[in-house]
Amino acid sequence: MPMIKLIEITEKSSPGCCSPNLAPRIGGDEVRTLSDDLGVLAHPIRLQILDMLAQRDGHVCVCDLEAALPVKQPTVSHHLKLLRAAGLIDCERRGLWVYYFLLRPALESLRTRLLAQFDALR
Amino acid sequence: MPMIKLIEITEKSSPGCCSPNLAPRIGGDEVRTLSDDLGVLAHPIRLQILDMLAQRDGHVCVCDLEAALPVKQPTVSHHLKLLRAAGLIDCERRGLWVYYFLLRPALESLRTRLLAQFDALR
DNA sequence: CAGATATATTGAAGAGTGTCAATATAGCAT
DNA sequence: ATGCTATATTGACACTCTTCAATATATCTG
């Protein structure tokens, strides 16, 4: 009796089309972190902010970014906050102005992780 | 009179903090395409699907993917559709089953574009 | 053709995201 | 202190994304 049940289950789980034991090689935490980081990059305004910070190596104040972007000041602040929370940029206050700058090591580390992922897809 | 107004405007647009002529080097279309592509990658299920397709080089049927993922069948179909719309994968029907596979050239091209972007951030 | 199975599509519900006006905060200048 | 300027935060709204049950479609089998 248990024999019959076992056979049924086995056939059900392998109906002739499947490669068994297929599983993603990237696990729960790792894949979550990676997709979160990709999500931070996946916005035109944020990509453009990173690009502008990369140009003016030192520091760029928010009013410059705002002037160069097609969104209003609170939206710029919002995206800056997300980039900062992701550890990709940081800022420093000088008088009235706040100057943002890239955290190049963090970007380098993200680049490395992304490349590793792409290489895993060969 | 116009002189005074001109001076006011000039001072307003350059209050002493700003680097003038700052603009993103990546334009509207290009940055939109890139962020869209990143958005497709920015999901754990989709990353895991790509990873599994990369493992079984040839073809993987949907039931295998479904068995290995923590979401139901319609959700798997949904993510497969997004990946296909992005040009990263394609599929082929064989009898009852549909086999999905990576489009490696597309992935390679995306990798190249991403790398170029990261290099631009130096 | 009728029944069975694999996958796709539809439609709805809930969560999350992007944007901005309004307001708050922080620092300078008078 | 008062006012002024740069940036941050809040709150609301619209929109998109993710997920799934239900249903539809496609294909095989008898």
Side-chain angles (χ1 to χ4, degrees):
Chain A
M1 293 283 238
M3 221 35 171
I4 291 174
K5 188 142 197 169
L6 190 60
I7 288 169
E8 278 171 2
I9 288 171
T10 302
E11 292 196 337
K12 201 155 214 156
S13 69
S14 183
C17 74
C18 299
S19 36
N21 303 333
L22 183 62
R25 291 168 299 187
I26 35 178
D29 282 356
E30 196 183 351
V31 80
R32 185 57 169 270
T33 304
L34 188 57
S35 59
D36 283 353
D37 287 342
L38 283 166
V40 174
L41 294 183
H43 194 286
I45 299 291
R46 293 195 287 272
L47 284 177
Q48 290 181 311
I49 288 175
L50 291 176
D51 182 47
M52 287 190 282
L53 295 184
Q55 284 181 63
R56 299 290 196 276
D57 188 20
H59 309 80
V60 180
C61 75
V62 179
C63 56
D64 284 340
L65 298 172
E66 187 188 343
L69 291 170
V71 289
K72 302 281 185 183
Q73 179 263 320
T75 304
V76 175
S77 266
H78 171 67
H79 290 298
L80 288 169
K81 189 176 188 176
L82 293 183
L83 288 167
R84 205 154 88 93
L88 297 179
I89 68 176
D90 203 353
C91 64
E92 167 197 19
R93 180 152 215 144
R94 259 186 265 156
L96 268 184
W97 297 283
V98 176
Y99 292 86
Y100 279 83
F101 51 90
L102 287 187
L103 293 176
R104 308 221 181 241
L107 275 167
E108 195 58 35
S109 142
L110 176 52
R111 188 186 107 115
T112 300
R113 259 184 311 140
L114 268 182
L115 266 188
Q117 187 58 35
F118 268 95
D119 288 348
L121 304 179
R122 204 176 25 188
Chain B
M1 288 285 235
M3 222 35 171
I4 292 175
K5 186 138 195 172
L6 191 59
I7 288 170
E8 279 173 1
I9 288 172
T10 302
E11 292 196 335
K12 201 157 213 156
S13 68
S14 183
C17 74
C18 299
S19 37
N21 304 333
L22 183 62
R25 292 168 297 187
I26 34 178
D29 281 355
E30 196 183 352
V31 80
R32 185 57 169 273
T33 305
L34 187 57
S35 59
D36 283 354
D37 288 342
L38 284 166
V40 174
L41 294 183
H43 193 286
I45 298 291
R46 292 196 287 272
L47 285 177
Q48 291 181 310
I49 288 176
L50 291 176
D51 182 48
M52 289 191 282
L53 295 184
Q55 285 182 62
R56 299 289 197 277
D57 187 21
H59 309 80
V60 180
C61 76
V62 179
C63 56
D64 284 340
L65 298 172
E66 187 188 343
L69 291 170
V71 289
K72 303 282 183 180
Q73 179 263 320
T75 305
V76 175
S77 266
H78 171 67
H79 289 299
L80 288 169
K81 189 177 187 176
L82 294 182
L83 289 167
R84 204 154 89 93
L88 298 179
I89 68 177
D90 203 352
C91 63
E92 167 197 18
R93 180 151 216 146
R94 260 188 262 156
L96 268 183
W97 297 282
V98 176
Y99 292 86
Y100 280 83
F101 50 91
L102 287 188
L103 294 176
R104 308 222 181 241
L107 276 167
E108 194 58 35
S109 142
L110 176 52
R111 189 187 107 115
T112 299
R113 260 184 308 140
L114 265 183
L115 266 188
Q117 187 58 34
F118 268 95
D119 287 347
L121 303 179
R122 199 168 14 135

